[in-house]
Amino acid sequence: MVSIELSGPILVAAAVLGAAWLYRDAKRRAMDTADMWAVGFFVAFVLLPVLGGLAVFVFYLQNRNRRRGSPVAVPGE
């Protein structure tokens, strides 16, 4: 099995090239928001693994079973 790992300078270079291509393509199509698309692509390409992991962790913390006292009846009440 072959795996490809993007890290460090290669990751940043791929993000910059992708953002540059997206920006040029959006400008050719006369889109007013070309710069926002490029910045959004760059940020998502670089930070999504970290943000995705944090999102799953927060989702887990919100939905996990919380420890509560066991439901035991008190005699005499």
Side-chain angles (χ1 to χ4, degrees):
M1 181 190 237
V2 177
S3 65
I4 298 172
E5 182 177 333
L6 293 176
S7 63
I10 295 172
L11 176 70
V12 174
V16 168
L17 289 174
W21 177 83
L22 198 139
Y23 178 79
R24 289 183 60 199
D25 187 60
K27 277 296 190 183
R28 281 190 206 135
R29 297 173 190 267
M31 296 176 68
D32 294 333
T33 58
D35 53 347
M36 289 190 289
W37 280 103
V39 170
F41 175 84
F42 180 83
V43 169
F45 195 87
V46 173
L47 295 181
L48 192 57
V50 174
L51 293 178
L54 287 174
V56 170
F57 182 68
V58 169
F59 184 75
Y60 168 75
L61 289 177
Q62 289 179 346
N63 293 315
R64 68 183 174 163
N65 292 332
R66 290 174 177 79
R67 291 187 185 184
R68 296 186 178 131
S70 59
V72 177
V74 177
E77 285 191 285

